[in-house]
mmCIF file of all heavy atoms in Angstrom:
data_model
loop_
_atom_site.group_PDB
_atom_site.id
_atom_site.type_symbol
_atom_site.label_atom_id
_atom_site.label_comp_id
_atom_site.label_asym_id
_atom_site.label_seq_id
_atom_site.Cartn_x
_atom_site.Cartn_y
_atom_site.Cartn_z
ATOM 1 N N LYS A 40 -2.357 0.218 -13.653
ATOM 2 C CA LYS A 40 -1.686 -1.107 -13.449
ATOM 3 C C LYS A 40 -0.932 -1.123 -12.163
ATOM 4 O O LYS A 40 -1.025 -2.044 -11.337
ATOM 5 C CB LYS A 40 -0.787 -1.366 -14.661
ATOM 6 C CG LYS A 40 -0.334 -2.774 -14.754
ATOM 7 C CD LYS A 40 0.363 -2.980 -16.151
ATOM 8 C CE LYS A 40 1.210 -4.193 -16.022
ATOM 9 N NZ LYS A 40 2.293 -4.213 -17.001
ATOM 10 N N GLN A 41 -0.138 -0.014 -11.913
ATOM 11 C CA GLN A 41 0.611 0.011 -10.730
ATOM 12 C C GLN A 41 -0.266 0.064 -9.475
ATOM 13 O O GLN A 41 0.008 -0.568 -8.478
ATOM 14 C CB GLN A 41 1.541 1.280 -10.722
ATOM 15 C CG GLN A 41 2.691 1.122 -11.693
ATOM 16 C CD GLN A 41 3.443 2.442 -11.999
ATOM 17 O OE1 GLN A 41 3.027 3.473 -11.492
ATOM 18 N NE2 GLN A 41 4.454 2.339 -12.753
ATOM 19 N N LEU A 42 -1.359 0.806 -9.578
ATOM 20 C CA LEU A 42 -2.343 0.855 -8.442
ATOM 21 C C LEU A 42 -2.898 -0.550 -8.170
ATOM 22 O O LEU A 42 -2.980 -0.996 -7.007
ATOM 23 C CB LEU A 42 -3.461 1.834 -8.757
ATOM 24 C CG LEU A 42 -4.504 2.006 -7.663
ATOM 25 C CD1 LEU A 42 -3.907 2.590 -6.390
ATOM 26 C CD2 LEU A 42 -5.628 3.001 -8.186
ATOM 27 N N THR A 43 -3.250 -1.261 -9.235
ATOM 28 C CA THR A 43 -3.810 -2.594 -9.061
ATOM 29 C C THR A 43 -2.786 -3.520 -8.409
ATOM 30 O O THR A 43 -3.124 -4.314 -7.508
ATOM 31 C CB THR A 43 -4.204 -3.135 -10.458
ATOM 32 O OG1 THR A 43 -5.018 -2.197 -11.138
ATOM 33 C CG2 THR A 43 -4.999 -4.448 -10.356
ATOM 34 N N GLN A 44 -1.532 -3.405 -8.848
ATOM 35 C CA GLN A 44 -0.466 -4.258 -8.235
ATOM 36 C C GLN A 44 -0.305 -3.938 -6.744
ATOM 37 O O GLN A 44 -0.172 -4.860 -5.952
ATOM 38 C CB GLN A 44 0.816 -4.023 -9.012
ATOM 39 C CG GLN A 44 0.919 -4.792 -10.288
ATOM 40 C CD GLN A 44 2.080 -4.313 -11.188
ATOM 41 O OE1 GLN A 44 2.730 -3.334 -10.900
ATOM 42 N NE2 GLN A 44 2.191 -5.011 -12.358
ATOM 43 N N ALA A 45 -0.349 -2.657 -6.448
ATOM 44 C CA ALA A 45 -0.178 -2.256 -5.031
ATOM 45 C C ALA A 45 -1.297 -2.756 -4.150
ATOM 46 O O ALA A 45 -1.122 -3.210 -3.070
ATOM 47 C CB ALA A 45 -0.034 -0.713 -4.919
ATOM 48 N N VAL A 46 -2.547 -2.718 -4.745
ATOM 49 C CA VAL A 46 -3.746 -3.171 -3.974
ATOM 50 C C VAL A 46 -3.767 -4.686 -3.901
ATOM 51 O O VAL A 46 -4.203 -5.279 -2.970
ATOM 52 C CB VAL A 46 -5.038 -2.603 -4.641
ATOM 53 C CG1 VAL A 46 -6.270 -3.196 -4.014
ATOM 54 C CG2 VAL A 46 -5.061 -1.058 -4.564
ATOM 55 N N GLY A 47 -3.254 -5.302 -4.980
ATOM 56 C CA GLY A 47 -3.170 -6.755 -5.041
ATOM 57 C C GLY A 47 -4.462 -7.435 -5.387
ATOM 58 O O GLY A 47 -4.666 -8.632 -5.280
ATOM 59 N N MET A 48 -5.419 -6.654 -5.976
ATOM 60 C CA MET A 48 -6.666 -7.203 -6.385
ATOM 61 C C MET A 48 -7.164 -6.420 -7.651
ATOM 62 O O MET A 48 -6.851 -5.232 -7.747
ATOM 63 C CB MET A 48 -7.790 -6.999 -5.338
ATOM 64 C CG MET A 48 -7.610 -7.903 -4.097
ATOM 65 S SD MET A 48 -8.594 -7.221 -2.817
ATOM 66 C CE MET A 48 -10.033 -8.162 -2.939
ATOM 67 N N PRO A 49 -7.906 -7.075 -8.546
ATOM 68 C CA PRO A 49 -8.398 -6.289 -9.657
ATOM 69 C C PRO A 49 -9.331 -5.217 -9.247
ATOM 70 O O PRO A 49 -10.144 -5.437 -8.330
ATOM 71 C CB PRO A 49 -9.140 -7.376 -10.535
ATOM 72 C CG PRO A 49 -8.985 -8.651 -9.885
ATOM 73 C CD PRO A 49 -8.317 -8.502 -8.578
ATOM 74 N N LEU A 50 -9.283 -4.072 -9.866
ATOM 75 C CA LEU A 50 -10.106 -2.896 -9.536
ATOM 76 C C LEU A 50 -11.334 -2.725 -10.457
ATOM 77 O O LEU A 50 -12.242 -2.015 -10.100
ATOM 78 C CB LEU A 50 -9.277 -1.637 -9.528
ATOM 79 C CG LEU A 50 -8.055 -1.645 -8.591
ATOM 80 C CD1 LEU A 50 -7.260 -0.384 -8.746
ATOM 81 C CD2 LEU A 50 -8.569 -1.781 -7.124
ATOM 82 N N TYR A 51 -11.215 -3.328 -11.613
ATOM 83 C CA TYR A 51 -12.314 -3.182 -12.608
ATOM 84 C C TYR A 51 -12.380 -4.348 -13.531
ATOM 85 O O TYR A 51 -11.428 -5.171 -13.585
ATOM 86 C CB TYR A 51 -12.130 -1.888 -13.420
ATOM 87 C CG TYR A 51 -10.935 -1.923 -14.269
ATOM 88 C CD1 TYR A 51 -10.981 -2.378 -15.576
ATOM 89 C CD2 TYR A 51 -9.703 -1.537 -13.813
ATOM 90 C CE1 TYR A 51 -9.911 -2.461 -16.402
ATOM 91 C CE2 TYR A 51 -8.531 -1.567 -14.601
ATOM 92 C CZ TYR A 51 -8.648 -2.056 -15.937
ATOM 93 O OH TYR A 51 -7.549 -2.143 -16.697
ATOM 94 N N GLU A 52 -13.509 -4.481 -14.126
ATOM 95 C CA GLU A 52 -13.688 -5.559 -15.203
ATOM 96 C C GLU A 52 -14.237 -4.832 -16.446
ATOM 97 O O GLU A 52 -15.007 -3.905 -16.357
ATOM 98 C CB GLU A 52 -14.796 -6.539 -14.789
ATOM 99 C CG GLU A 52 -14.353 -7.433 -13.672
ATOM 100 C CD GLU A 52 -15.563 -8.137 -13.059
ATOM 101 O OE1 GLU A 52 -16.721 -7.742 -13.323
ATOM 102 O OE2 GLU A 52 -15.322 -9.136 -12.379
#
Side-chain angles (χ1 to χ4, degrees):
K40 194 169 160 203
Q41 285 167 358
L42 180 62
T43 309
Q44 280 165 356
V46 172
M48 289 162 96
L50 300 176
Y51 65 91
E52 290 166 343

